[in-house]
């Protein structure tokens, strides 16, 4: 089952993720961006990268985290399928991300995400679940 669900949006791609912890929410968001882009099942863990992001609050941090991962894909050709959060504070995230270089022979681009936006961004806690929705510019 996909780690996200699609929400109605007129032009771009809006998704929602949920997890038991805030760290889990960041992992689920990361998994969603790569599953939507190339499909998680096609990504092998051949190397690890340390990834860091910072933000003013949880929402800003979530967007910056996803933007950093998107940059590593579009700018450096890296795709990831494993995410280990090593530090998460109100304003900073450090993670060890496992994946490989994108290969036309192994990966198909399913959807080209151009940007992660603040439009419609929501991070909430409902009972024992953390939830986020975010819009990807496609």
């Amino acid at each position: 089952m996909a780690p996200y669900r699609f929400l109605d949006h007129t032009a771009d791609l809006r998704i929602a993720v949920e997890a038991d912890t805030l760290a889990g929410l960041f992992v689920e968001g990361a998994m969603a961006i790569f599953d939507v882009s190339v499909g998680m099942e096609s990504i092998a863990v051949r190397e690890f990268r340390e990834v860091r992001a910072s933000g003013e609050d949880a929402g800003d941090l979530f967007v910056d985290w996803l933007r950093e991962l998107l940059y590593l894909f579009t700018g450096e050709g890296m795709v990831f399928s494993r995410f280990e959060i090593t530090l998460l504070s109100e304003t900073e995230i450090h993670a060890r991300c496992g994946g490989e270089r994108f290969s036309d022979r192994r990966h198909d681009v399913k959807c080209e995400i151009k940007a992660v936006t603040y439009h419609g961004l929501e991070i909430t806690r409902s009972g024992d679940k953390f939830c986020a929705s975010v819009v990807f510019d496609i």
Side-chain angles (χ1 to χ4, degrees):
M1 186 169 158
Y4 57 90
R5 60 188 162 87
F6 294 105
L7 301 174
D8 289 335
H9 196 273
T10 54
D12 293 321
L13 182 64
R14 185 171 182 218
I15 64 154
V17 293
E18 69 176 38
D20 294 335
T21 65
L22 188 58
L25 191 69
F26 280 73
V27 168
E28 295 295 334
M31 291 173 62
I33 205 166
F34 288 102
D35 192 52
V36 165
S37 296
V38 299
M40 291 289 290
E41 68 284 348
S42 70
I43 303 170
V45 177
R46 300 185 193 281
E47 64 181 271
F48 284 89
R49 291 278 184 97
E50 298 297 322
V51 179
R52 296 177 179 205
S54 59
E56 298 292 318
D57 56 30
D60 192 42
L61 184 60
F62 190 71
V63 169
D64 283 353
W65 159 246
L66 296 178
R67 284 180 173 171
E68 184 64 25
L69 293 170
L70 183 60
Y71 166 76
L72 289 170
F73 175 37
T74 60
E76 297 187 15
M78 291 297 299
V79 289
F80 300 102
S81 61
R82 185 179 303 160
F83 307 91
E84 301 166 5
I85 307 298
T86 56
L87 175 112
L88 180 61
S89 71
E90 293 181 17
T91 60
E92 194 171 8
I93 184 171
H94 298 186
R96 188 170 182 255
C97 302
E100 63 183 330
R101 294 211 172 274
F102 179 85
S103 167
D104 288 334
R105 288 178 281 140
R106 291 184 31 82
H107 309 105
D108 291 321
V109 176
K110 296 176 6 180
C111 179
E112 183 181 347
I113 297 174
K114 297 176 186 174
V116 180
T117 74
Y118 286 99
H119 179 73
L121 174 68
E122 290 183 282
I123 294 186
T124 59
R125 185 170 186 179
S126 177
D128 61 347
K129 293 283 186 189
F130 289 86
C131 306
S133 63
V134 65
V135 173
F136 299 141
D137 178 14
I138 56 172

